[in-house]
Every structure is written in structure tokens, then in C-alpha cells.
Amino acid sequence: MKAPWIAMLALAFGATAPAWAQTPASPKGSEAHIRAATARIDGASMRTNAVSTKDWPSYGLDYAETRFSKLDQINEKNVKELGLVWSYNLESTRGVEATPLVVDGIMYVTASWSVVHAVDVRTGKRLWSYDPKVPREVGVKGCCDVVNRGVALHRGKVFVGSFDARLIALDAATGKVVWEKDTSIDRSKPYTITGAPRVFKGKVIIGNGGAEYGVRGYITAYDAETGAQAWRFYTVPGDPAKPYENEALARAAKTWDPSAKYWEAGGGGTVWDSITFDPDLNLMYIGTGNGSPWARRLRSPGGGDNLFLASIVAINPDNGRYVWHYQQTPGDNWDYTSTQPMILADIKVGGKPRKVILHAPKNGFFFVIDRATGKFISAKNFVDVNWATGYDEKGFPIETALARSADKPYDSIPGPLGAHNWHPMSYSPKTGLVYLPAQNIPLSLMDNKAWKMNQTTLGVPGSGQGWNTATFINATPPTSKPFGRLLAWDPVNQKEAWRVEHISPWNGGTLATAGNLVFQGTADGRFFAFNAQTGEKLWETPTGTGVIAAPSTYLVDGKQYVSIAVGWGGSYGVAQRASEKIGPGTVYTFAVGGKAPLPQFAQYQLNALLKGVAYEPKDVPEGQGLYVAACILCHGVPGVDRGGNIPNLGYSHPDVINNLEAYVLGGAAKDKGMPDFSGSLKREDMAKLKAFIQGVPDSIRPK
């Protein structure tokens, strides 16, 4: 400790105290250094960092989740000199959706199955890893792969939500568990967590997934120090025979028809992704999910807007009380969630400054909303849509006549995977543009009027896995075309500034920087830098597998780095792919002048079309119905699709299909997340499944 008179002299004369009077600095990457670096992360440091963006301390960089870095060491002039500094193997084979967080050179990133890694950016070496040991059999309880979007940091702790719905606080220096909480309100229900927690005002905020399966949505705040529950806000009303939790839900209940007992299917509205915060207004904003089931006629036969589905809801973070809402898709019928990332920005509307929310949810419209009041400002479709022609002055959609067709298949544009899904977008105040991963994945929809809760139904996708959509998906082939693109969108004038067409849908999130750059990874296994003003491609590198997550950038010892976590997967990526390469989940870190070699990439190998499995042709039609109900969402169409991060069964070795019972009913691949279907499939169903799995390759095999 410095003598008081030495410290006073140093302050008075600007001199450095002699070496013998200084406290030795802890080595970078040591436990003491990590404790010091992460202990300072709180609300004040978040706001300070937003000025310089030196670190990347939260999922979206700052409370507003702009994903705009003010760093410009890497810029349009030198980005071509960007090279790999190191790569880090996440040791995963499923989807990687996390944005790496970095504080003073200490990186925290998650892989599939909610595994957390702490990495020293200065060396690229592991500091520690933590596996919450999610039981592999719960993988079937998630609609969209066993993914995790990352962690939160606060005062020396790392917070992660596990796939099986636990919230866990870890010591940032060691990875040891500090506390753990079960966030599920009912363990008999398939609640999951795939989103990144946020920390506002000393509270860890987390929502859950599961609306496809029949759950009730909510979001919960926990004390960051102790894990004690501070409050919980439900997004849809519960059983009307019981008291509503608050007045907002009592009002919301008036927008639901109770005749179908919507609460038995939960109602949906899960808060599985976007959460932002305005500390000046003391408001946090959540995006809510789809209805449960999807089909409104089955969920709420008398109609109604079904609040607070597909909405932005403003909440007081101190007590969890409702403040305002804006519903983007009233009476959701198409899985048009509003959980997609929100950005808080200050822009000019009509020549006057406004505090707004910028939002591009699944339904294909780009929204500008007043974030103080929830008042609708504008909406414009950023892709082709066919469910609405626009929004009126009050902010209500003008639906088309075909949008709620119940008696025949309807080619939903955009489809349920959305014109924009969870993949983060970014906003540059320098260009005034939002950089948005846009897409179309064609699907047709039709109400399933015979739907019953938790009933396996031949030909209804996912019904054998617990899905409760009350909807036939692709009863007839859709006619729209798939695409994936990067859009630069002008939110003031509500128009496209430029676009880059990609090979496939399901591309990664974006990062914008003051260096006039936009970074994005793509489904075909590349990582790009574009000119933020023009969209010109300036740099690219292969990544060995498809990219779905968003990158981050930060300074370490005065040098700017860019990192991206890659690993193909997610709801589209489990059964489809666009890359000819394959590799494990990996973090790549780049800097100007980096010279490290890329890791070796393996060529994606498809076996020969399945051949030699004996079957009765008469069993193929029923086998198709069983396969669609229990298998198609993960394995795709046998021999037609190429497989994603889960193999396509049409290219399996015959021994696998001949012994199908061991996998489907015996748990032979349980350790890889393959569920036991004993509760929904019977042993006599196996011959029918084999017939379809072999029959399709036989029907498409070149003669």
C-alpha cells in the first residue's frame, strides 16, 4: 500500500510513485486479474463502456443492443489485411448462436448444450469451461436445436441459462457455481432456455421457450447476488377461474375466447430472445412469442387479438409491472413472433428527434415505435409479404383475404421461420442504417381442425415430438422461393438502401463499426466484411461450417480484434445445410496482420443413398405419416434433403435402419440427444417407418 505522502506527491506533481511503493499488477489472465476486470461490470460501467465501446460486456454490446462499435482501427482501408490470430475449438457439433462477450481480454462464450467457455484473448487458450450437464433426453423439448445465445456479466459473475431451464451464476474467475435457480413454473411442461440473460439494475432477467409444445409465457427477474426471485411477469392470461396476477392480464383476458380453454395449451407468448433497457426512461422492453397452438381458430375460436402475443411490452425493471404494449401481429396465426432483436435508437421522425425502438419481427414489416409511450410511428415491409398489405395510421395490420384461410393450404409469406428470425441486426448512427439478416423459407399452413392437445397425429409435423401447433405444415408444396440476404435498411424513410444476396437462408447476425464496416457470417461457411455505406464486399474468409451467430469487436491492450463463434444449426440448420465443409463449433479471432493458419476443414460427406432395407410397399403411406409426425423436423426428407447438423436418414448405413428399434425405442443414440419415442411410437410402427425411409430413396434413385 502506498504511503499517504507518496500518493499526495504523485497527485500534486503528476509523477509516478516509485516502483517500490506500487502494488504489483496481477498477470493478465490470472484469477486476480479476471476478478478485478469482471468485478467492475455493472450499470455504471455499461454506460461508460457505451461511450468508447472498448469492451463487449453484454449480448448486444450496450443496453440499447445497437451492436455498433465505435472502434475504427479496423476500417474500410485496412480490412483486407485482416487475418486470423487464433481459433478455439468449442468441442460441439450442434448449433452455436452465442455472441462472445469480452472484458479486458477475457472472453466468455457458450456452445450447444449451454456449455460455457472462458478464453484468454491474448493467447487463445482456455481459462476454464463449465458444463451444466443438461440431460440429453430433454433435447426433444426444444423446437430449434440445443442452442444457447450467450451469457451475461455482472460484478464478478457469469450468468447462463441452461437448455433445461435453469439459471446459473458462475464465478467469472473460476467457473465454479455460485448459485442456481430452476426457472420452470411446472416441470411437467417443456420449458427451455436458449436466450442470453440480461442484467438491469442488479437483476438478472431471463425468459423461456416452449410455445410450440404448449406452455404459458413469462419473464423472471432474479437478484444477481443471491438468486432470489425479484418478480415475474406473465405475458398471457392464465386460467380465468383463478385470480389474474395483475390488472394488465385481466385486461388481456378480454381479448381471448375462453370457450376452447386456451390456458390448457398454455397460450404461448414465450419471451425467448429480445430484451433491451433504457436507463433514462427506466423501462425494459421484451418481445413476446407466438400463440400456443399456432392456429387462432383452435386457440381462441371467437377471435380476439390475444394479448400479449406477438407484442413489444414495456416493463418497469424495479417491480416487473406492465407499462405499455404494442401488438405487431394481432391474433397471431402464423408463428409470427416478436421476439426478434430490438434496437433502441434516437432518430429524426418528421424532422424532430424521437426516442424509438427499431424492430424487424418475423412478420416481414420493419417497425419504428416510440419507446417512451409505445405509440406506433411507422411500418413497412422489408421483404415480400402476402398476409397483410400494410399498417393503418393507428398501427393495425390490413390483412389480406387469404391470410386466415382455414380450409385449404395457404402459402404463408413469410413462413413461420420468419422474414427475420433471432439472428441479431445492428444499427450505425454514422450511416443511419440498420443491417438486417432477411430471408424466406417457404412453408404452407392449414388449420388442423381435429387437433387435440399432445396427440400424435399422422402427417402433422412434430406432433410425435410434443409439438402442438394445430396446423398442417406443407400439406401442399409452397410456391414461394427461398432466399437469404443482408439488407441495409433506412428506418427514417422506411426503405432499402442496399442489399447483398446470399446463397441460402439462415445467415448470421451483423456487427456495424465506425470503421465503415458491416461484418456477417453466412450459411455457406464464410465470414464477410462489407462497406457499410454501399454494401461492397471488402473481405472474406472461410469458416469451415455455416455461421448463424453474430460477431463482436473490442480492444485488448490497445489493439482491435473481431471474434465470431461458428457452428451450424438452429431450427433450419438441424435438417438443412448450405456448406460443403463441416467442422466443430469454433471461435475465430481476427486482427489486422494476423498470420495464424486456419484449422483444417473436413469435406461434408454423404453416404450412398440407402439401399437394401427390406419393406412392404403397402406400409409406405402410413410410414410417411409417422415419419412426418416424429422425424421430419430433425432428419428432413430421406434422401431428398442433405442433412444439417443431424444426419439425413436416407443416407444412413442399412444396419442403422434395419436396427431402427434400438435408436427410436431403445435409446441407442441417447447421448447425442436422440429421444426415446416409446411414449408416442409403438414397436409395430417400426416396419412402417423403415418402409418410408427406404421407399423414398428407392423412388428417387436414378434408374
Side-chain angles (χ1 to χ4, degrees):
M1 180 176 178
K2 295 179 186 178
W5 60 271
I6 294 175
M8 290 173 65
L9 284 172
L11 287 171
F13 296 104
T16 302
W20 56 265
Q22 294 181 6
T23 302
S26 301
K28 301 292 187 179
S30 66
E31 284 191 22
H33 165 246
I34 298 172
R35 288 192 194 286
T38 58
R40 62 179 174 81
I41 303 301
D42 58 12
S45 72
M46 282 287 295
R47 299 184 76 169
T48 299
N49 188 74
V51 176
S52 66
T53 63
K54 175 181 178 290
D55 289 326
W56 193 286
S58 184
Y59 178 67
L61 173 61
D62 45 34
Y63 282 142
E65 306 227 329
T66 61
R67 293 180 179 265
F68 172 74
S69 171
K70 298 175 183 177
L71 304 181
D72 61 3
Q73 278 188 18
I74 302 170
N75 54 59
E76 59 183 310
K77 294 180 180 179
N78 64 10
V79 69
K80 62 181 178 294
E81 301 169 23
L82 212 58
L84 185 67
V85 179
W86 52 260
S87 60
Y88 174 89
N89 190 340
L90 290 168
E91 301 171 355
S92 60
T93 59
R94 302 287 290 270
V96 175
E97 298 186 353
T99 300
L101 272 55
V102 178
V103 175
D104 196 12
I106 308 302
M107 175 183 290
Y108 299 95
V109 63
T110 55
S112 46
W113 297 108
S114 321
V115 177
V116 184
H117 296 259
V119 184
D120 187 337
V121 173
R122 294 173 175 86
T123 64
K125 303 300 183 184
R126 178 178 302 183
L127 294 166
W128 54 258
S129 66
Y130 168 75
D131 185 349
K133 303 205 178 295
V134 174
R136 296 309 190 243
E137 60 266 25
V138 305
V140 73
K141 295 182 178 181
C143 71
C144 308
D145 204 358
V146 289
V147 293
N148 186 280
R149 288 180 205 98
V151 302
L153 294 172
H154 183 76
R155 294 186 177 175
K157 297 183 183 65
V158 178
F159 303 95
V160 63
S162 68
F163 188 79
D164 57 347
R166 291 171 286 149
L167 180 65
I168 304 162
L170 305 173
D171 183 298
T174 65
K176 294 179 180 178
V177 175
V178 179
W179 54 255
E180 178 179 312
K181 296 294 176 181
D182 184 358
T183 72
S184 175
I185 59 171
D186 183 349
R187 273 289 157 190
S188 71
K189 303 288 186 183
Y191 283 105
T192 56
I193 296 176
T194 57
R198 313 304 202 272
V199 181
F200 307 144
K201 304 183 76 172
K203 299 179 183 66
V204 190
I205 316 292
I206 192 65
N208 299 74
E212 271 66 46
Y213 295 80
V215 302
R216 184 187 183 195
Y218 57 89
I219 188 166
T220 314
Y222 297 87
D223 182 274
E225 290 301 316
T226 67
Q229 182 175 316
W231 52 258
R232 174 168 284 151
F233 178 83
Y234 288 93
T235 59
V236 297
D239 185 345
K242 302 175 182 177
Y244 295 113
E245 287 82 0
N246 55 57
E247 179 57 32
L249 290 172
R251 294 198 303 271
K254 296 176 182 178
T255 68
W256 293 74
D257 176 8
S259 66
K261 297 183 178 180
Y262 60 81
W263 55 93
E264 292 182 354
T270 47
V271 187
W272 51 264
D273 193 26
S274 187
I275 310 169
T276 54
F277 176 49
D278 185 331
D280 295 326
L281 295 174
N282 196 37
L283 290 176
M284 56 172 279
Y285 310 95
I286 62 173
T288 66
N290 53 281
S292 179
W294 289 2
R296 186 179 65 168
R297 283 185 178 86
L298 281 297
R299 182 178 72 237
S300 185
D305 289 346
N306 295 174
L307 293 172
F308 296 104
L309 298 179
S311 300
I312 296 174
V313 183
I315 296 172
N316 183 322
D318 296 324
N319 50 31
R321 290 177 184 166
Y322 163 94
V323 179
W324 59 254
H325 80 276
Y326 170 65
Q327 189 171 41
Q328 294 172 316
T329 310
D332 170 48
N333 197 56
W334 313 275
D335 188 22
Y336 284 165
T337 66
S338 288
T339 50
Q340 286 57 55
M342 289 180 274
I343 292 173
L344 311 186
D346 296 345
I347 65 174
K348 287 188 176 180
V349 177
K352 297 180 180 179
R354 295 283 293 271
K355 293 181 179 293
V356 302
I357 296 173
L358 306 177
H359 198 215
K362 276 189 183 181
N363 72 17
F365 285 86
F366 192 99
F367 291 84
V368 180
I369 309 296
D370 186 299
R371 71 174 183 266
T373 65
K375 182 180 179 181
F376 170 84
I377 295 174
S378 65
K380 177 70 175 178
N381 59 299
F382 59 92
V383 298
D384 289 338
V385 302
N386 69 353
W387 73 277
T389 59
Y391 278 69
D392 65 23
E393 292 182 355
K394 295 183 178 180
F396 289 98
I398 305 166
E399 293 187 11
T400 62
L402 293 175
R404 296 186 185 274
S405 174
D407 299 321
K408 58 182 180 180
Y410 164 70
D411 192 356
S412 177
I413 305 174
L417 284 158
H420 174 220
N421 207 291
W422 63 267
H423 314 84
M425 60 186 190
S426 55
Y427 168 70
S428 169
K430 291 190 69 173
T431 63
L433 300 176
V434 172
Y435 303 100
L436 166 65
Q439 63 182 22
N440 184 51
I441 298 171
L443 288 173
S444 67
L445 306 176
M446 184 174 71
D447 287 2
N448 174 12
K449 296 180 180 179
W451 168 77
K452 292 183 179 179
M453 186 74 178
N454 292 328
Q455 178 176 281
T456 299
T457 304
L458 296 182
V460 178
S463 61
Q465 296 173 249
W467 279 46
N468 282 282
T469 63
T471 302
F472 291 108
I473 303 172
N474 281 0
T476 59
T479 57
S480 63
K481 303 299 182 184
F483 65 78
R485 63 178 63 126
L486 171 61
L487 281 185
W489 190 263
D490 178 349
V492 174
N493 297 300
Q494 285 283 29
K495 66 178 184 180
E496 180 182 316
W498 53 258
R499 73 168 68 174
V500 174
E501 296 289 351
H502 293 317
I503 289 173
S504 167
W506 212 247
N507 298 289
T510 69
L511 160 67
T513 78
N516 195 35
L517 298 173
V518 176
F519 290 91
Q520 185 190 29
T522 56
D524 61 328
R526 293 184 288 173
F527 186 36
F528 288 98
F530 301 98
N531 183 301
Q533 292 180 314
T534 67
E536 177 190 0
K537 184 183 77 173
L538 301 176
W539 172 84
E540 72 169 280
T541 186
T543 58
T545 184
V547 185
I548 53 178
S552 60
T553 188
Y554 47 87
L555 286 180
V556 178
D557 302 331
K559 186 169 185 175
Q560 185 181 358
Y561 297 82
V562 177
S563 293
I564 180 78
V566 310
W568 181 243
S571 54
Y572 180 76
V574 293
Q576 308 291 338
R577 70 170 43 251
S579 171
E580 298 302 324
K581 304 291 184 181
I582 188 171
T586 303
V587 178
Y588 295 98
T589 292
F590 302 91
V592 171
K595 301 294 185 182
L598 288 165
Q600 293 293 313
F601 305 140
Q603 191 75 19
Y604 180 64
Q605 298 280 343
L606 276 179
N607 298 324
L609 271 175
L610 181 65
K611 188 175 182 180
V613 176
Y615 67 96
E616 293 289 339
K618 66 179 178 59
D619 288 336
V620 170
E622 191 170 348
Q624 175 180 338
L626 290 165
Y627 187 91
V628 169
C631 313
I632 198 167
L633 294 178
C634 293
H635 293 286
V637 181
V640 176
D641 297 320
R642 300 171 61 231
N645 64 22
I646 294 177
N648 184 282
L649 299 181
Y651 296 97
S652 298
H653 190 281
D655 288 349
V656 173
I657 307 305
N658 279 324
N659 292 286
L660 198 63
E661 296 89 340
Y663 295 93
V664 177
L665 304 178
K670 178 182 176 181
D671 62 326
K672 296 180 180 179
M674 172 70 184
D676 185 338
F677 283 93
S678 298
S680 56
L681 294 174
K682 303 179 179 63
R683 190 161 294 276
E684 54 265 33
D685 293 331
M686 296 301 101
K688 298 165 186 175
L689 278 174
K690 292 176 187 178
F692 179 71
I693 294 168
Q694 180 63 82
V696 175
D698 285 351
S699 70
I700 63 174
R701 196 185 317 275
K703 300 295 190 285

